[in-house]
Short mmCIF file of all heavy atoms in Angstrom, two decimals:
data_model
loop_
_atom_site.label_atom_id
_atom_site.label_comp_id
_atom_site.label_asym_id
_atom_site.label_seq_id
_atom_site.Cartn_x
_atom_site.Cartn_y
_atom_site.Cartn_z
N ILE A 27 -5.86 28.54 -32.88
CA ILE A 27 -5.43 27.19 -33.44
C ILE A 27 -4.77 26.33 -32.36
O ILE A 27 -4.91 25.16 -32.26
CB ILE A 27 -4.74 27.30 -34.66
CG1 ILE A 27 -5.72 27.63 -35.90
CG2 ILE A 27 -3.98 25.99 -35.09
CD1 ILE A 27 -5.07 27.95 -37.26
N GLN A 28 -3.73 27.04 -31.75
CA GLN A 28 -2.97 26.25 -30.72
C GLN A 28 -3.87 25.80 -29.52
O GLN A 28 -3.70 24.75 -28.96
CB GLN A 28 -1.89 27.19 -30.17
CG GLN A 28 -0.88 26.39 -29.29
CD GLN A 28 -0.33 25.19 -30.00
OE1 GLN A 28 0.32 25.22 -31.07
NE2 GLN A 28 -0.49 23.94 -29.40
N VAL A 29 -4.83 26.61 -29.14
CA VAL A 29 -5.84 26.27 -28.08
C VAL A 29 -6.63 25.11 -28.52
O VAL A 29 -6.87 24.10 -27.70
CB VAL A 29 -6.70 27.47 -27.66
CG1 VAL A 29 -7.77 27.02 -26.71
CG2 VAL A 29 -5.87 28.54 -27.00
N LEU A 30 -7.12 25.07 -29.79
CA LEU A 30 -7.81 23.98 -30.32
C LEU A 30 -7.07 22.70 -30.33
O LEU A 30 -7.59 21.63 -29.97
CB LEU A 30 -8.28 24.33 -31.76
CG LEU A 30 -9.44 25.42 -31.69
CD1 LEU A 30 -9.58 25.90 -33.15
CD2 LEU A 30 -10.77 24.79 -31.25
N LYS A 31 -5.77 22.84 -30.67
CA LYS A 31 -4.92 21.67 -30.68
C LYS A 31 -4.62 21.08 -29.31
O LYS A 31 -4.64 19.87 -29.09
CB LYS A 31 -3.59 21.90 -31.42
CG LYS A 31 -3.68 22.04 -33.01
CD LYS A 31 -2.44 22.31 -33.60
CE LYS A 31 -2.54 22.25 -35.06
NZ LYS A 31 -2.63 20.91 -35.65
N ASN A 32 -4.43 22.07 -28.34
CA ASN A 32 -4.29 21.50 -27.01
C ASN A 32 -5.51 20.81 -26.40
O ASN A 32 -5.40 19.90 -25.63
CB ASN A 32 -3.99 22.76 -26.11
CG ASN A 32 -2.65 23.43 -26.35
OD1 ASN A 32 -1.84 22.84 -26.89
ND2 ASN A 32 -2.60 24.62 -25.86
N GLU A 33 -6.70 21.20 -26.91
CA GLU A 33 -7.86 20.55 -26.50
C GLU A 33 -8.16 19.20 -27.23
O GLU A 33 -8.52 18.27 -26.52
CB GLU A 33 -9.14 21.45 -26.82
CG GLU A 33 -10.46 20.95 -26.44
CD GLU A 33 -10.77 21.20 -24.91
OE1 GLU A 33 -9.89 21.80 -24.24
OE2 GLU A 33 -11.82 20.57 -24.40
N PHE A 34 -7.93 19.20 -28.54
CA PHE A 34 -8.36 18.04 -29.27
C PHE A 34 -7.09 17.20 -29.88
O PHE A 34 -7.32 16.12 -30.42
CB PHE A 34 -9.16 18.43 -30.51
CG PHE A 34 -10.41 19.19 -30.09
CD1 PHE A 34 -10.59 20.40 -30.49
CD2 PHE A 34 -11.43 18.48 -29.32
CE1 PHE A 34 -11.73 21.13 -30.02
CE2 PHE A 34 -12.54 19.01 -29.01
CZ PHE A 34 -12.78 20.37 -29.33
N GLY A 35 -5.96 17.60 -29.49
CA GLY A 35 -4.67 16.78 -29.85
C GLY A 35 -3.92 17.56 -30.99
O GLY A 35 -4.50 18.28 -31.74
N GLN A 36 -2.60 17.39 -30.97
CA GLN A 36 -1.81 18.18 -31.88
C GLN A 36 -2.02 17.66 -33.28
O GLN A 36 -1.73 18.42 -34.25
CB GLN A 36 -0.29 17.95 -31.42
CG GLN A 36 0.05 18.54 -30.16
CD GLN A 36 -0.31 20.02 -30.06
OE1 GLN A 36 0.04 20.87 -30.94
NE2 GLN A 36 -1.04 20.44 -29.02
N ASP A 37 -2.60 16.53 -33.48
CA ASP A 37 -2.90 16.15 -34.92
C ASP A 37 -4.34 16.55 -35.40
O ASP A 37 -4.63 16.40 -36.64
CB ASP A 37 -2.86 14.62 -34.96
CG ASP A 37 -1.48 14.06 -34.72
OD1 ASP A 37 -0.59 14.71 -35.03
OD2 ASP A 37 -1.43 12.73 -34.30
N PHE A 38 -5.01 17.29 -34.54
CA PHE A 38 -6.35 17.79 -34.92
C PHE A 38 -6.13 18.91 -36.02
O PHE A 38 -5.37 19.83 -35.88
CB PHE A 38 -7.01 18.42 -33.69
CG PHE A 38 -8.30 19.13 -33.96
CD1 PHE A 38 -9.44 18.22 -34.35
CD2 PHE A 38 -8.53 20.44 -33.86
CE1 PHE A 38 -10.64 18.82 -34.55
CE2 PHE A 38 -9.71 21.07 -34.13
CZ PHE A 38 -10.84 20.18 -34.46
N ASP A 39 -6.88 18.90 -37.09
CA ASP A 39 -6.89 19.75 -38.08
C ASP A 39 -7.66 21.07 -37.78
O ASP A 39 -8.75 21.26 -38.25
CB ASP A 39 -7.38 19.19 -39.48
CG ASP A 39 -7.08 19.99 -40.70
OD1 ASP A 39 -6.58 21.09 -40.45
OD2 ASP A 39 -7.18 19.44 -41.78
N ALA A 40 -7.01 21.82 -36.92
CA ALA A 40 -7.67 23.05 -36.45
C ALA A 40 -7.98 24.10 -37.53
O ALA A 40 -8.96 24.80 -37.45
CB ALA A 40 -6.83 23.79 -35.34
N GLU A 41 -7.16 24.12 -38.53
CA GLU A 41 -7.32 25.11 -39.62
C GLU A 41 -8.65 24.72 -40.38
O GLU A 41 -9.41 25.59 -40.69
CB GLU A 41 -6.18 25.13 -40.56
CG GLU A 41 -4.92 25.77 -39.77
CD GLU A 41 -3.73 25.95 -40.80
OE1 GLU A 41 -3.90 25.58 -42.00
OE2 GLU A 41 -2.61 26.22 -40.30
N TYR A 42 -8.76 23.43 -40.70
CA TYR A 42 -10.00 22.98 -41.39
C TYR A 42 -11.24 23.27 -40.54
O TYR A 42 -12.28 23.58 -41.04
CB TYR A 42 -9.93 21.48 -41.66
CG TYR A 42 -11.12 20.86 -42.30
CD1 TYR A 42 -11.36 21.07 -43.59
CD2 TYR A 42 -12.05 20.17 -41.56
CE1 TYR A 42 -12.46 20.57 -44.30
CE2 TYR A 42 -13.28 19.71 -42.11
CZ TYR A 42 -13.49 19.85 -43.46
OH TYR A 42 -14.54 19.32 -44.06
N PHE A 43 -11.04 23.01 -39.17
CA PHE A 43 -12.19 23.20 -38.25
C PHE A 43 -12.55 24.71 -38.35
O PHE A 43 -13.68 25.03 -38.49
CB PHE A 43 -11.72 22.86 -36.85
CG PHE A 43 -12.73 23.29 -35.72
CD1 PHE A 43 -13.74 22.47 -35.41
CD2 PHE A 43 -12.54 24.48 -35.11
CE1 PHE A 43 -14.64 22.83 -34.44
CE2 PHE A 43 -13.48 24.83 -34.07
CZ PHE A 43 -14.54 24.01 -33.69
N LYS A 44 -11.63 25.55 -38.24
CA LYS A 44 -11.94 27.03 -38.35
C LYS A 44 -12.48 27.49 -39.52
O LYS A 44 -13.43 28.29 -39.66
CB LYS A 44 -10.71 27.88 -37.94
CG LYS A 44 -10.41 27.88 -36.41
CD LYS A 44 -9.26 28.85 -36.08
CE LYS A 44 -9.57 30.25 -36.39
NZ LYS A 44 -10.59 30.83 -35.65
N ASN A 45 -11.96 26.95 -40.77
CA ASN A 45 -12.43 27.29 -42.03
C ASN A 45 -13.88 26.83 -42.24
O ASN A 45 -14.76 27.38 -42.80
CB ASN A 45 -11.53 26.83 -43.14
CG ASN A 45 -10.32 27.53 -43.15
OD1 ASN A 45 -10.24 28.69 -42.88
ND2 ASN A 45 -9.20 26.91 -43.68
N THR A 46 -14.14 25.60 -41.77
CA THR A 46 -15.55 25.02 -41.73
C THR A 46 -16.56 25.94 -41.03
O THR A 46 -17.58 26.28 -41.52
CB THR A 46 -15.58 23.68 -41.28
OG1 THR A 46 -14.72 22.76 -41.93
CG2 THR A 46 -16.98 23.10 -41.36
N GLY A 47 -16.07 26.38 -39.83
CA GLY A 47 -16.85 27.22 -39.05
C GLY A 47 -17.07 28.61 -39.72
O GLY A 47 -18.24 29.20 -39.76
N LYS A 48 -16.02 29.13 -40.42
CA LYS A 48 -16.10 30.36 -41.15
C LYS A 48 -17.00 30.39 -42.25
O LYS A 48 -17.85 31.21 -42.52
CB LYS A 48 -14.68 30.77 -41.62
CG LYS A 48 -14.63 31.99 -42.34
CD LYS A 48 -13.24 32.45 -42.84
CE LYS A 48 -13.17 33.74 -43.63
NZ LYS A 48 -11.75 33.97 -44.07
N ASP A 49 -16.93 29.26 -43.08
CA ASP A 49 -17.93 29.13 -44.17
C ASP A 49 -19.38 29.03 -43.64
O ASP A 49 -20.24 29.64 -44.39
CB ASP A 49 -17.53 27.75 -44.88
CG ASP A 49 -16.27 27.72 -45.59
OD1 ASP A 49 -15.69 28.95 -45.81
OD2 ASP A 49 -15.78 26.75 -46.01
N PHE A 50 -19.72 28.30 -42.54
CA PHE A 50 -20.87 28.30 -41.97
C PHE A 50 -21.39 29.81 -41.62
O PHE A 50 -22.53 30.17 -41.90
CB PHE A 50 -21.02 27.49 -40.82
CG PHE A 50 -22.30 27.36 -40.12
CD1 PHE A 50 -23.19 26.29 -40.26
CD2 PHE A 50 -22.73 28.38 -39.19
CE1 PHE A 50 -24.37 26.20 -39.70
CE2 PHE A 50 -23.95 28.24 -38.57
CZ PHE A 50 -24.82 27.14 -38.84
N SER A 51 -20.57 30.53 -40.95
CA SER A 51 -20.87 31.89 -40.51
C SER A 51 -21.14 32.67 -41.75
O SER A 51 -22.11 33.59 -41.73
CB SER A 51 -19.72 32.44 -39.67
OG SER A 51 -19.48 31.65 -38.50
N TYR A 52 -20.29 32.72 -42.73
CA TYR A 52 -20.55 33.57 -43.82
C TYR A 52 -21.73 33.18 -44.65
O TYR A 52 -22.40 34.17 -45.20
CB TYR A 52 -19.30 33.43 -44.85
CG TYR A 52 -18.27 34.48 -44.45
CD1 TYR A 52 -17.46 34.25 -43.28
CD2 TYR A 52 -18.07 35.57 -45.31
CE1 TYR A 52 -16.46 35.34 -43.04
CE2 TYR A 52 -17.01 36.64 -45.03
CZ TYR A 52 -16.29 36.45 -43.86
OH TYR A 52 -15.42 37.34 -43.50
N ARG A 53 -22.20 31.98 -44.70
CA ARG A 53 -23.48 31.75 -45.28
C ARG A 53 -24.68 32.31 -44.52
O ARG A 53 -25.61 32.96 -45.02
CB ARG A 53 -23.73 30.10 -45.35
CG ARG A 53 -22.90 29.33 -46.32
CD ARG A 53 -23.40 27.98 -46.63
NE ARG A 53 -23.32 27.13 -45.48
CZ ARG A 53 -22.19 26.46 -45.00
NH1 ARG A 53 -21.13 26.58 -45.74
NH2 ARG A 53 -22.24 25.59 -43.97
N TYR A 54 -24.47 32.38 -43.15
CA TYR A 54 -25.42 33.14 -42.33
C TYR A 54 -25.45 34.59 -42.63
O TYR A 54 -26.45 35.20 -42.77
CB TYR A 54 -25.13 32.81 -40.80
CG TYR A 54 -26.10 33.49 -39.94
CD1 TYR A 54 -27.19 32.87 -39.41
CD2 TYR A 54 -25.80 34.88 -39.51
CE1 TYR A 54 -28.07 33.57 -38.59
CE2 TYR A 54 -26.66 35.48 -38.65
CZ TYR A 54 -27.77 34.91 -38.24
OH TYR A 54 -28.63 35.55 -37.33
N PHE A 55 -24.20 35.20 -42.66
CA PHE A 55 -24.11 36.57 -42.91
C PHE A 55 -24.67 36.99 -44.34
O PHE A 55 -25.25 38.07 -44.42
CB PHE A 55 -22.60 37.06 -42.81
CG PHE A 55 -22.10 36.86 -41.37
CD1 PHE A 55 -20.66 36.57 -41.26
CD2 PHE A 55 -22.81 36.92 -40.23
CE1 PHE A 55 -20.17 36.36 -40.05
CE2 PHE A 55 -22.20 36.78 -39.01
CZ PHE A 55 -20.86 36.46 -38.91
N ASP A 56 -24.36 36.14 -45.29
CA ASP A 56 -24.82 36.46 -46.74
C ASP A 56 -26.44 36.35 -46.74
O ASP A 56 -27.02 37.18 -47.36
CB ASP A 56 -24.47 35.31 -47.54
CG ASP A 56 -22.89 35.51 -47.95
OD1 ASP A 56 -22.34 36.65 -47.72
OD2 ASP A 56 -22.35 34.53 -48.52
N GLU A 57 -27.07 35.57 -45.86
CA GLU A 57 -28.50 35.52 -45.79
C GLU A 57 -29.20 36.57 -44.92
O GLU A 57 -30.16 37.21 -45.28
CB GLU A 57 -28.90 34.07 -45.37
CG GLU A 57 -30.50 33.87 -45.43
CD GLU A 57 -30.88 32.43 -45.08
OE1 GLU A 57 -29.91 31.60 -44.97
OE2 GLU A 57 -32.01 32.22 -44.81
N HIS A 58 -28.46 36.83 -43.72
CA HIS A 58 -29.11 37.66 -42.79
C HIS A 58 -28.36 38.99 -42.55
O HIS A 58 -28.88 39.85 -41.82
CB HIS A 58 -29.21 36.95 -41.39
CG HIS A 58 -29.89 35.60 -41.49
ND1 HIS A 58 -31.29 35.57 -41.52
CD2 HIS A 58 -29.51 34.27 -41.46
CE1 HIS A 58 -31.72 34.23 -41.54
NE2 HIS A 58 -30.57 33.46 -41.54
N GLY A 59 -27.18 39.03 -43.10
CA GLY A 59 -26.28 40.25 -42.74
C GLY A 59 -25.53 40.00 -41.52
O GLY A 59 -25.80 39.14 -40.72
N VAL A 60 -24.62 40.83 -41.32
CA VAL A 60 -23.83 40.75 -39.97
C VAL A 60 -24.50 41.50 -38.94
O VAL A 60 -24.73 42.72 -39.02
CB VAL A 60 -22.35 41.39 -40.18
CG1 VAL A 60 -21.55 41.23 -38.96
CG2 VAL A 60 -21.67 40.68 -41.45
N PRO A 61 -24.87 40.81 -37.80
CA PRO A 61 -25.72 41.42 -36.76
C PRO A 61 -24.93 42.43 -36.01
O PRO A 61 -23.99 42.19 -35.34
CB PRO A 61 -26.26 40.24 -35.92
CG PRO A 61 -25.14 39.22 -36.05
CD PRO A 61 -24.63 39.34 -37.55
N MET A 62 -25.37 43.71 -36.03
CA MET A 62 -24.78 44.81 -35.28
C MET A 62 -25.29 44.93 -33.87
O MET A 62 -26.48 44.75 -33.68
CB MET A 62 -24.91 46.05 -36.06
CG MET A 62 -23.94 47.16 -35.72
SD MET A 62 -23.62 48.33 -37.09
CE MET A 62 -25.30 48.74 -37.59
#
């Protein structure tokens, strides 16, 4: 999160960014499984 804020600004909502990415990933995992 700190690296993301350093890149996009201290006001950047890095937690929302990561959670949005996590939700996307979990939709993929639910459909395809976690690739080993």
Side-chain angles (χ1 to χ4, degrees):
I27 283 175
Q28 189 54 57
V29 171
L30 289 165
K31 284 182 175 289
N32 291 342
E33 180 80 8
F34 300 115
Q36 293 305 306
D37 293 333
F38 178 69
D39 194 346
E41 292 184 5
Y42 177 79
F43 172 85
K44 281 184 65 65
N45 286 333
T46 300
K48 180 180 177 181
D49 290 344
F50 180 99
S51 296
Y52 269 70
R53 288 194 297 272
Y54 178 93
F55 298 147
D56 287 343
E57 183 174 350
H58 302 285
V60 182
M62 198 155 46

